Amino acid sequence: MELSVTVTELRYALDTFFFLISGALVMWMAAGFAMLEAGLVRSKNTTEILTKNFVLYAIACTMYLFVGYNIMYVDNTSGGWWPSFGSLIGTQADGADHSLESDFFFQVVFVATSMSVVSGAVAERMKLWSFLIFSVILTAFIYPLEGYWTWGGGFLSEAGFSDFAGSGIVHMAGAAAALAGVILLGARKGKFGKNGEVYPIPGSNMPLATLGTFILWFGWFGFNGGSQLALSNFENATAVGQIFLNTNAAAAAGAIAAMLVCKTTWGKADLTMILNGALAGLVAITADPLSPSPLMSVAIGVVAGVLVVFSIITLDKLKIDDPVGAISVHGVCGLLGLLAVPLSNADASFGSQILGAVVIFAWVFIASLVVWGILKATMGIRVSEEEEMEGMDIHDCGVDAYPEFVTVK
């Protein structure tokens, strides 16, 4: 029987399918962020944080389709600071090894991931509509421009900057936008005392937070594995297996390291720190999940797991209120991941990595600070003290997440 398809066509189909499945796994990370953040906020703010996570994904998909992908990739060959502009997502290149549409889908879920980092850091006191307007700007312009400088062939790519799956491009960028918002927003009422005291504000649902972390861990295999961009030959298939191994090893090591730090420091196994330790390991290994040995991946995860605990403590001392630890996990450990790349990848240098990190952080932070500042001066970004005390579910959404536990007055 004669085969009706060629080997090239089979490889095209397999690589396209690999892109789509990897993108679907990353899309599932949106559920992970939603569950993690819903578990780490108070019950009175649960519906609102779920609304933010659900709608920001829809906004990211829409704005990246109409504007962002064009800025980041279409007809960009200049290698400079400013991209050219094509038509929506462009046209299929001759000889491509996967479909253009699958490439767009894989990229758009990364944009949503970056914006998801912001939602947790500004939780429990930011106005819903201010947040959604900022989501439009970040996903349409701020993220795509730094994405062009790096993955799109811009000047940072030309300078040798290396970020395999986005420790800096996705995660640190999201943390930079979050930090700008948090600085202008201020802390939640009751978080800090007048004399510098830090008062913990426990989350409402630890099972939900744990489920969210497991979902993120699961989705990360698509995040990092899919960034190999192909699966259909021996070299790429072997690389994807190595990426899965290293990604899993770093996450596990990060969780264990964070737990041991908590035990030796406070005598307790703090679940929230353990969850953030796993995420810290995942963020750090994302800059290069292929080059390190499994042992090196474990070491990166350990350092990230230790670092994230002390980073969260330090931000509290600086009175920077981040309810879910997103700035520490995605920002501090994103930077760690970028700086670890030259340790195992001979094609990267510390100079190019530092340059890339500084440019990405500075651009996203300053641009976000301007946008947040305009929103604060016009429509405001913080809810009233009364709304914050009563909870944002009723004021923003009109729906309680846990109506059975609402006290009838």
Side-chain angles (χ1 to χ4, degrees), residues 121-126 178-189 191-192 319-323 376 381-382 388:
V122 300
E124 300 205 286
R125 73 270 201 209
M126 173 166 277
L179 179 61
V182 168
I183 289 173
L184 292 182
L185 191 62
R188 292 168 291 174
K189 297 295 181 183
K191 175 63 179 178
F192 301 115
K319 295 189 176 182
I320 296 174
D321 184 16
D322 179 357
K376 183 175 182 178
I381 60 175
R382 183 162 186 145
E388 185 175 350

Side-chain angles (χ1 to χ4, degrees), residues 7-23 69 73 89-108 151 225-233 236:
V7 172
T8 299
E9 289 172 327
L10 286 172
R11 291 185 61 182
Y12 178 93
L14 180 58
D15 286 338
T16 295
F17 181 72
F18 177 59
F19 254 111
L20 294 173
I21 292 301
S22 297
Y69 189 83
Y73 287 114
I89 68 168
T91 56
Q92 183 78 46
D94 293 335
D97 54 12
H98 58 270
S99 78
L100 178 63
E101 292 77 11
S102 68
D103 182 81
F104 168 79
F105 177 66
F106 185 68
Q107 293 295 333
V108 75
W151 288 337
S227 294
Q228 180 63 22
L229 309 182
L231 182 70
S232 60
N233 59 30
N236 284 310

